Every structure is written in structure tokens, then in C-alpha cells.
Amino acid sequence: MAPTVNTQLAAISRHLQDRPGLKTAALVSAPFTPNNTPDLYTQSLEKAFYDHATGLRPYLDRGDVYFNFDVRNGADRTSLNTISKNLCGRVTPDLVFYAGRATYLPTFLENLHQRQCRTTPITVVTGSDAATLDRKIPALNDPDAPISVLYVPLADPAQLSSKNNPDRALYKAFADEFGRPHHGHKFDPSHLASGWAVMAHDAFLTASLAIGKAVDPPQTPPHINAVGAQLYLFDTTNVIEGAGGIFRIDTRTGNRISTHDPRVVQLGTTGD
């Protein structure tokens, strides 16, 4: 129910078109988990950064700087410290494409904040889990060491409730219902602070709509194959009116196709 990594980065690529001064990027990635198994999320990010379709590959080609860091046994702290210092070397990139988990991002930002060339502005581009980042950390609030972060959230309540959201009424109806008692119970209002409640709702809504469409009396409940087939038929006029907006399902991939382009969130200080 969430925008794919490629969709997120393509939106950021379009956003960067309004900042022509940013030309070069370094890639910083952590392709494995602390258990040394492949991290599918970070690997998908790295692949999308390289994908010409997202529009970000030229920044990497011009920057020609690539670093992996290890997250096992605390190695992330020392690795990210060295990487940050290296970004003041022969090439000082305008951008860093960060293909790592958000849990290690504050450490990286703090190291960027302390690097020798910290007065040179730098922008970090990353994936949706940056939504967990504390906006008040010192590294993002020092005009003398400008650092900004760009990402696309999966379902940001501030964006969904904004008057600029064409599907705002759908989110408002969901949020109002979320706060009401149901069978003597109420959801914790704080659960609306992240996008997880919205995505869970829209996933359940999509599944229930598919089940309803798959019913063929007198055969009830419908067969799992009939339900699966319906999931790939949410297209053209057959749309899902979710709390996160109106969307369709790609009939080839099963990915979400949003009616409107996702919006980019920018944190920190740009130094512009």
C-alpha cells in the first residue's frame, strides 16, 4: 500500500530539478543486516539510486564516490566517522545517497556535522524510514554546518491533513472515525502520529474489497485464487479510496499507483 522505493526516489529527483547547484553525489550503503544477512530494504534503495528510471544516476556518475559500511558489532560508528571524513577529500559531493537504515542515520549526520569541511552544505537523500528521524538533533539545526535530509514518507499525517491534499476528505473521515469508540474500545490517538495506521487501514480495505468482488454465490467464502486475481484488477475506474488517498494497483507488478505524486519532505538547513 506504500509508494515503492523507485517512486519515492523519482519524486526526489524531480524535486532536485529546482536545485541546479547540486550536481554530484556519493553513495553510502549498508547492504547487510547486523546478522550478516542481505538487507532487502537497503539493497532496494541502492539499486534504485543506480536505476536510470529514477533520474538520480547522473549525480552518482559525476560524483564517482562509493562507500559501504558494516553494521555488525558497533562497526557502524567507526565506519561512518571515517566515511564522513572521506567526503571532504578529493571530491566534496553536494549530495549523499544514503542506502542504509534510519537507525544509523543520526550517527552519520552527527559525523557529517563534525567533518572538516562542515561549512560546505550537504544534502542527504534517503528512503521513507527517515520519517523516524528526530528533527531537533543538533546536526540538522546548525546554520554554520548546513545539512539537510530529503525523503518521501509512506503516509505522513501532516501531508494527508494538509489543505493541499486533494484527497484530504478521505483522510479526515478516517481520522475522525479512528478517534471514536467502537464496541466499547478506542484506538490510541497517538497511533495516528505515524503512517502505519493509515497503511494498515488501506491494506485491510484493499483486501476486503477484493474479497467482496471475488464472491460468486452460492460459493462462499470465495477461493483464495479468486481473491488474488481481484487484487490485480484495481485499475482504470476500479480504484481504492483509502485513507492515504485514491490509488490503483499495477496490473503487472501489484505495486500501488497513486493518483497524485508523493510529496518530498525536507529536514534541516540547506545553506542556500
Side-chain angles (χ1 to χ4, degrees), residues 21-25 92-96 121-124:
L22 303 181
K23 299 182 182 301
T24 61
T92 302
D94 307 310
L95 299 152
V96 176
I122 195 163
T123 297
V124 178

Side-chain angles (χ1 to χ4, degrees), residues 56-262:
L56 295 176
R57 177 65 181 267
Y59 295 96
L60 286 174
D61 291 340
R62 289 191 291 265
D64 195 28
V65 178
Y66 312 88
F67 296 110
N68 284 351
F69 68 95
D70 196 326
V71 299
R72 291 174 296 176
N73 301 313
D76 55 284
R77 299 192 66 84
T78 52
S79 298
L80 290 171
N81 181 42
T82 301
I83 289 171
S84 298
K85 292 177 179 177
N86 287 347
L87 296 178
C88 290
R90 59 181 177 82
V91 177
T92 302
D94 307 310
L95 299 152
V96 176
F97 293 166
Y98 177 83
R101 291 280 176 175
T103 188
Y104 309 109
L105 188 52
T107 298
F108 182 48
L109 295 174
E110 187 53 43
N111 282 312
L112 289 176
H113 185 224
Q114 298 299 325
R115 74 197 194 284
Q116 185 177 2
C117 60
R118 58 185 172 274
T119 57
T120 301
I122 195 163
T123 297
V124 178
V125 175
T126 189
S128 59
D129 70 339
T132 63
L133 195 61
D134 182 359
R135 302 179 179 216
K136 297 179 181 179
I137 61 174
L140 292 178
N141 294 278
D142 184 357
D144 294 325
I147 301 173
S148 58
V149 175
L150 298 178
Y151 72 96
V152 170
L154 298 182
D156 180 59
Q159 290 185 358
L160 294 173
S161 60
S162 168
K163 293 181 179 179
N164 295 325
N165 176 20
D167 297 329
R168 179 172 178 260
L170 292 172
Y171 175 74
K172 188 176 185 304
F174 162 75
D176 290 345
E177 192 64 28
F178 191 89
R180 294 194 181 105
H182 298 273
H183 305 288
H185 299 278
K186 291 183 68 174
F187 289 111
D188 185 341
S190 67
H191 291 172
L192 281 181
S194 71
W196 293 110
V198 171
M199 288 188 291
H201 169 272
D202 287 0
F204 193 87
L205 173 64
T206 303
S208 64
L209 289 173
I211 291 169
K213 290 176 180 294
V215 171
D216 184 17
Q219 180 184 339
T220 52
H223 192 274
I224 187 172
N225 290 343
V227 176
Q230 287 292 336
L231 288 172
Y232 284 81
L233 299 178
F234 285 108
D235 201 5
T236 63
T237 59
N238 184 26
V239 298
I240 302 157
E241 296 185 352
I246 297 173
F247 61 94
R248 299 173 173 82
I249 303 293
D250 191 309
T251 58
R252 297 163 297 177
T253 66
N255 291 327
R256 173 191 175 119
I257 302 176
S258 299
T259 307
H260 313 287
D261 286 340

